[in-house]
Amino acid sequence: MREIVFDEIEIQGACKRIARELTRELKDEEKIPIFLGVMKGALNFFLDLTRKIEIPIYLDYIQISSYRGTQSTGKVELVHDLRFDCEGRTVVIVEDIIDTGVSMNYLVKHLENKYHPKRILVVALFDKINARTAPIKIDYSGKVLAQNDFLIGYGLDYKELHRNVPYVYIPDEDEYNELTKIAEER
Ligand code: IMP
Ligand code: MG
């Protein structure tokens, strides 16, 4: 049995709420804000959230790599940088989950140093509050998690699998074994 952490209705509810709050916060921006999706984990959340924003925005993405299996490596690698010049603009970073905070900490520093944005807002679908080792301020989150369980689905993967599952769940031992087998054999 899969323990569902966030189902499709809850996900859409969170997207709607955050989009409403962001639309309100950003409606008077002088320059068009940039929504920056952190690939690949934020893929689904980025699309569902930005579709509900009711002001003009730009979309771009950045890709970093920090996770192997179910344990963070603590090292962040920039795989793809954004293409927009965000100098003087508000940048809204859209991330799937903030765990240790190392990735987001790196990303915020990278953007500040290279692009000098007007300000950065951090949005995460999940906030594992008790896993933090690097300081990070989250402006909007879909759901705060007190437990540090590894989650899969809706962009979150195990060995690159199940990003396409439309809800978020905690896998059991059998599921891990099955996904490991699939990833190795096919
Ligand atoms: P952090 O640097 O430790 O905050 O890790 C952030 C990144 O690790 C996220 O962008 C995710 O891609 C990945 N990650 C953290 N927790 C999970 C999880 O429970 N399932 C899948 N990926 C996760
Ligand atoms: Mg991610």
Side-chain angles (χ1 to χ4, degrees):
M1 261 300 282
R2 291 176 176 178
E3 184 187 335
I4 295 181
V5 174
F6 225 32
D7 66 25
E8 292 180 66
I9 291 168
E10 291 170 313
I11 289 170
Q12 294 315 315
C15 290
K16 210 168 155 184
R17 170 179 60 80
I18 297 170
R20 197 191 314 121
E21 290 169 1
L22 279 168
T23 298
R24 197 182 309 134
E25 172 155 6
L26 300 171
K27 70 178 179 350
D28 296 323
E29 290 284 303
E30 213 170 297
K31 290 186 164 191
I32 297 170
I34 298 176
F35 276 60
L36 191 64
V38 186
M39 294 302 120
K40 291 180 266 189
L43 192 61
N44 298 282
F45 180 45
F46 184 58
L47 292 179
D48 284 340
L49 177 72
T50 54
R51 266 198 287 252
K52 294 180 171 71
I53 300 284
E54 293 175 1
I55 50 165
I57 56 172
Y58 289 137
L59 304 187
D60 204 350
Y61 72 97
I62 197 162
Q63 187 173 1
I64 54 172
S65 162
S66 60
Y67 234 76
R68 302 284 182 274
T70 62
Q71 290 298 310
S72 180
T73 56
K75 275 223 297 256
V76 186
E77 182 197 346
L78 185 66
V79 179
H80 175 90
D81 206 351
L82 70 158
R83 305 299 286 269
F84 261 104
D85 181 5
C86 51
E87 181 157 351
R89 295 181 194 277
T90 293
V91 176
V92 182
I93 305 177
V94 182
E95 176 63 302
D96 50 2
I97 188 164
I98 301 198
D99 186 21
T100 62
V102 170
S103 309
M104 189 53 73
N105 191 279
Y106 166 90
L107 215 51
V108 168
K109 281 191 188 139
H110 169 71
L111 295 176
E112 280 174 349
N113 294 337
K114 189 168 173 189
Y115 297 100
H116 313 287
K118 178 180 139 195
R119 63 170 168 162
I120 294 172
L121 293 175
V122 174
V123 181
L125 183 59
F126 296 108
D127 174 8
K128 285 186 185 170
I129 38 163
N130 295 321
R132 221 49 50 75
T133 61
I136 196 75
K137 181 175 160 286
I138 304 177
D139 298 283
Y140 297 93
S141 72
K143 186 175 171 125
V144 173
L145 304 167
Q147 248 68 44
N148 293 340
D149 302 297
F150 191 77
L151 310 179
I152 306 187
Y154 194 67
L156 297 162
D157 72 301
Y158 177 66
K159 296 188 185 289
E160 291 294 326
L161 292 166
H162 281 198
R163 289 191 199 274
N164 56 317
V165 171
Y167 53 85
V168 180
Y169 70 97
I170 301 171
D172 61 17
E173 204 56 37
D174 289 347
E175 175 109 29
Y176 273 127
N177 293 337
E178 196 191 327
L179 290 177
T180 301
K181 197 160 167 273
I182 291 170
E184 280 166 6
E185 289 178 359
R186 290 162 59 180

